[in-house]
Amino acid sequence: MQRFPFLLWTLLFCLAFSTCIARQAPWVMRISCGARLNVHTAPTNTLWYKDFAYTGGIPANATRPSYISPPLKTLRYFPLSSGPNNCYNINRVPKGHYTVRVFFGLDGHRNFDNEPLFDISIEGTQIYSLKSGWTNHDDQVFTEALVFLTDGTASICFHSTGHGDPAILSIEILQMEDRAYYFGPAWVQGIILRTAARLSCGNGKPKFDVDYSGDHWGGDRFWSPIKTFGQGSDLARSTESGIKKASNAPNYYPEALYQTALVSTDTQPDLAYTMDVDPNRNYSIWLHFAEIDSSVTAAGKRVFDILINGVVAFEDVDIVKMSGDRYTALVLNTTVTVSGRILTIGLHPKEGSHAIINAIEVFEILTAESKTSLEEVRALQSLKSALSLPLRFGWNGDPCVPQEHPWNGADCHFDKTSSKWFIDGLSLDNQGLRGFLPNDISRLHHLQNINLSDNSIRGAVPPSIGTIPGLVVLDLSYNSFNGSIPESLGQLTSLRRLNLNGNSLSGRVPAALGGRLLHGASFNFTDNAGLCGIPGLRTCGPHLSAGEKIGIAFGTSVGFLLMVICSMCWWKRRQNILRAQQIAERGAPYAKARTQLSHDIQMTRHYSHGNARTAAENGPSLLS
Ligand SMILES: *[C@@H]1O[C@H](CO)[C@@H](O)[C@H](O)[C@H]1NC(C)=O
Ligand SMILES: *[C@@H]1O[C@H](CO)[C@@H](O)[C@H](O)[C@H]1NC(C)=O
Ligand SMILES: *[C@@H]1O[C@H](CO)[C@@H](O)[C@H](O)[C@H]1NC(C)=O
Ligand SMILES: *[C@@H]1O[C@H](CO)[C@@H](O)[C@H](O)[C@H]1NC(C)=O
Ligand SMILES: *[C@@H]1O[C@H](CO)[C@@H](O)[C@H](O)[C@H]1NC(C)=O
Ligand SMILES: *[C@@H]1O[C@H](CO)[C@@H](O)[C@H](O)[C@H]1NC(C)=O
């Protein structure tokens, strides 16, 4: 009786758990940029979140540049005044492997002379630069990359290049299987696959996976239609029959993808697809096949070689043999280095006179950039707000990467041992900065140079600067720093140059700094009304300890007491003299005369006082 419920519960739990695993939906975030309210789009009732909580920039009504873009009515653009780098930072993204896709937009109201051209980065890696003419090419109205998001955030940044304002229609972050598009040992979490082409051969309509009723774990891929590879060398073919093994892990391709194909003709038995690529890059190429031609009935009836830029990549491909049956999906992948600007995928028949292909995917293999140490990013953010750094500095995203678009004024250094970027210099001189310098500046532990000269920075010189071990140059000249120079600056043993001139600093220059003068480092403390204590500055007043101050207070009190006693003695003595005079009135003329004189002086004073008042009324000359 006791054991049965336990077993039952275990069974139920296991059942629930396994169905949970099997049925769990991928994590999905779709953002309609510039939207005030969440949007649902037909035909799949797809939910797009409004983006008001996410970022700066300016919302506007959108003109979609192409009929492929999702039917969204708004966009967000980033004018020059927003600064060069603008980002969407999306939080609470489960660790995993994602398709990130960004559609570009055109502002419906402003009149664009030129389409905007800008760069896009994901997690600090630049994945795409818009190419001129993109508005006229349906497959260039978006960019897409497969990335690993491992730190709980997705940072997607748009970098101005001086060619118009970046304008974004939508952002999609769609989870895929962790091992999706695994292509071999070189495939690691540090790679990013940027989609360079994704073609559905023999198909007439652009389709997303959802249009094909594909599995959500496929990342809702977009398939460009291609009716022919050119010169009428091929024919589109299609079937209504079901295709086996299409929607398999890890990529879950939609079955319908294999129901259309391009087949070569008698006049031109070879099939060749050619595309433009960037030179000297590595590409991952995925080719999709299914034998959907009813005339090919068995293995050995259609055999062909696959050549990439003329080099055989797969020999003797026999779809029926390799997939195990007709109407069964076969996926082949290979990686190639392309040195030129052209990538050609050729199919050369060996048995049977025709080649066939159902779909092609080409990815550019990128290496994810190493990011800046998180501690340093936080310190810079604290600096950004304390100094009220203007937007033009572009302090958004990662400070050092993409390397094409680092933050202005932060000098980056790559540390090979930790594979992280560090900040080794702050060059923010003469930038009209206000605000103050936070203590957090010392968290930039690798700083060697700080130049904040010629700004309007107020407040104290943070004592924590003394803990930046390798600081060589500290130039805070021509600001409004006040208070005293922190003693801690004396700990900076590498310091070669310290400019504190032109501030409102006061007090004694720390002895440890003064001593350094002897060791060849150069200092400038001039133009600080209140500094003292080294040659060239005024000498400091006596330096008193608390004990000395008590001593002086005590001495003063004693002195005052002595004075009171003396006065009393004098008064007593005078009384005695007067009494003596009264007693010996006639026999002491000297004493009387003296009293008289004293009286005369008093009279003179009274007189002189009254005269002075009159003199003041007549003119100042008499006063002296
Ligand atoms: C966008 O269009 C709507 C009408 O469709 C209009 O009310 C709104 O003001 C427009 N917004 C902008 C920023 O132009
Ligand atoms: C891609 O090809 C490699 C061999 O070149 C293979 O190990 C890998 O499993 C293939 N990937 C997929 C997802 O089929
Ligand atoms: C391409 O891959 C090879 C190794 O297969 C590597 O040595 C090379 O650096 C890669 N090139 C680029 C541009 O990533
Ligand atoms: C700091 O920048 C100013 C220019 O604003 C320059 O004159 C000065 O030499 C720099 N300081 C150092 C120590 O290089
Ligand atoms: C420094 O200036 C700030 C105002 O900018 C003031 O609040 C502070 O008291 C001053 N500190 C000293 C030590 O004079
Ligand atoms: C120190 O700064 C003052 C201006 O505050 C300047 O006139 C002087 O030349 C500087 N001295 C040195 C040695 O750089």
Side-chain angles (χ1 to χ4, degrees), residues 488-510:
S488 61
L489 295 197
Q491 304 161 15
L492 295 170
T493 47
S494 310
L495 202 60
R496 302 302 300 161
R497 173 140 209 107
L498 175 63
N499 288 354
L500 295 174
N501 51 302
N503 281 291
S504 307
L505 296 166
S506 55
R508 180 184 287 269
V509 173

Side-chain angles (χ1 to χ4, degrees), residues 280-282 337 365 367:
N280 302 314
R281 311 277 168 95
N282 291 334
T337 304
I365 304 174
T367 306

Side-chain angles (χ1 to χ4, degrees), residues 13-218:
F13 178 77
C14 290
L15 217 78
F17 193 66
S18 58
T19 45
C20 237
I21 291 285
R23 295 270 162 86
Q24 193 192 17
W27 193 89
V28 165
M29 166 73 76
R30 288 187 169 89
I31 298 166
S32 171
C33 303
R36 279 185 177 281
L37 301 166
N38 292 345
V39 182
H40 290 265
T41 54
T44 44
N45 199 33
T46 306
L47 167 65
W48 303 79
Y49 289 100
K50 63 183 178 198
D51 75 344
F52 265 59
Y54 283 121
T55 184
I58 299 172
N61 286 328
T63 301
R64 287 184 291 136
S66 138
Y67 71 102
I68 290 169
S69 343
L72 301 170
K73 297 204 167 59
T74 58
L75 57 70
R76 189 174 291 271
Y77 70 94
F78 301 96
L80 214 57
S81 57
S82 292
N85 306 324
N86 289 281
C87 303
Y88 279 69
N89 295 308
I90 296 145
N91 295 321
R92 290 197 289 280
V93 181
K95 187 175 165 169
H97 193 198
Y98 291 85
T99 293
V100 177
R101 184 161 54 217
V102 176
F103 273 98
F104 319 130
L106 288 174
D107 190 317
H109 280 267
R110 296 179 313 148
N111 200 4
F112 274 111
D113 290 337
N114 296 306
E115 55 195 0
L117 303 180
F118 52 97
D119 293 349
I120 295 166
S121 70
I122 300 173
E123 291 289 287
T125 305
Q126 181 155 320
I127 56 151
Y128 194 59
S129 298
L130 273 76
K131 298 188 168 55
S132 71
W134 66 266
T135 38
N136 302 321
H137 293 93
D138 284 336
D139 57 350
Q140 290 182 22
V141 299
F142 70 91
T143 189
E144 181 194 284
L146 316 185
V147 297
F148 289 93
L149 301 175
T150 51
D151 62 0
T153 70
S155 171
I156 298 157
C157 301
F158 309 104
H159 310 278
S160 299
T161 60
H163 301 276
D165 304 334
I168 314 302
L169 195 71
S170 67
I171 295 172
E172 295 165 86
I173 303 174
L174 311 165
Q175 193 178 10
M176 296 179 301
E177 186 110 316
D178 279 351
R179 283 173 74 81
Y181 292 96
Y182 170 82
F183 58 70
W187 183 99
V188 286
Q189 293 218 339
I191 65 147
I192 293 177
L193 296 179
R194 181 186 68 80
T195 312
R198 185 175 271 144
L199 306 167
S200 172
C201 303
N203 197 337
K205 289 224 177 82
K207 293 241 156 95
F208 286 89
D209 276 3
V210 290
D211 303 321
Y212 278 136
S213 323
D215 193 295
H216 290 295
W217 279 100

Side-chain angles (χ1 to χ4, degrees), residues 537-548:
L537 300 176
R538 66 180 178 81
T539 48
C540 297
H543 192 81
L544 301 175
S545 69
E548 285 167 331

Side-chain angles (χ1 to χ4, degrees), residues 1-9:
M1 280 306 283
Q2 286 284 309
R3 283 177 82 180
F4 176 69
F6 175 73
L7 280 175
L8 190 71
W9 279 118

